[in-house]
Amino acid sequence: MAQYSSMITILLVLTSTFAQVDITEKKILSGHNFNLACPIEDEPRHKSIRWIKDDVIVQEWANLSTVHFVNATTDQSGLYRCHGNENVTAEGSAAFDVLVGDLPATPPPPECLVQ
C-alpha cells in the first residue's frame, strides 16, 4: 500500500477595515521635508493609531498622529493610510497618495524668428 502525503496551502487574506475616505494627493520634491497627519482627536476611544503604507502595517509609527519625513526620497512614494484602532470611520481615517520626485525638466524656450 502506497503512502500519500498531502500538502495544504493556506492563504491568508488581509481585508481592509478602513472606511471609504477621500485620498489626498501629495506631490513632494526629492530632498524636501513633509508631514502626514492622521485626523485623530484626543479621545479615550482612540487608544492607538495604525499606519499602513502600500498595504503593509508600519509598526514603528504606531500611535503617532503625525509622521514626519526629512529629506524625502522616491522610495517614500506610495499609498499611506491611517486610522484609530477604535475608530475606522471616515472621521478617524485618512489616506494619502504620496509621489516624491524631481521637477520635470524645463522645456527649452520656443525659437524666436527674426524677420
Side-chain angles (χ1 to χ4, degrees), residues 20-24 94-96:
Q20 290 286 49
V21 296
D22 292 332
I23 297 175
T24 302
F96 306 93

Side-chain angles (χ1 to χ4, degrees), residues 60-82:
E60 58 266 23
W61 296 348
N63 302 322
L64 296 177
S65 59
T66 302
V67 179
H68 306 281
F69 295 84
V70 177
N71 196 19
T73 60
T74 56
D75 64 326
Q76 292 169 323
S77 295
L79 180 62
Y80 293 83
R81 296 176 292 170
C82 70

Side-chain angles (χ1 to χ4, degrees), residues 3-95:
Q3 290 186 341
Y4 295 96
S5 64
S6 62
M7 182 184 349
I8 300 173
T9 303
I10 300 173
L11 175 63
L12 298 175
V13 178
L14 176 64
T15 58
S16 176
T17 58
F18 281 91
Q20 290 286 49
V21 296
D22 292 332
I23 297 175
T24 302
E25 290 186 4
K26 288 185 141 316
K27 294 180 181 178
I28 310 297
L29 289 174
S30 294
H32 285 193
N33 303 337
F34 69 100
N35 299 320
L36 298 179
C38 197
I40 300 297
E41 299 167 6
D42 292 330
E43 296 180 26
R45 65 185 175 141
H46 299 298
K47 295 177 182 166
S48 61
I49 298 171
R50 176 176 291 170
W51 284 91
I52 296 177
K53 179 188 182 232
D54 297 330
D55 294 324
V56 176
I57 295 171
V58 184
Q59 293 293 343
E60 58 266 23
W61 296 348
N63 302 322
L64 296 177
S65 59
T66 302
V67 179
H68 306 281
F69 295 84
V70 177
N71 196 19
T73 60
T74 56
D75 64 326
Q76 292 169 323
S77 295
L79 180 62
Y80 293 83
R81 296 176 292 170
C82 70
H83 72 89
N85 284 343
E86 300 298 322
N87 183 13
V88 293
T89 64
E91 291 79 30
S93 301

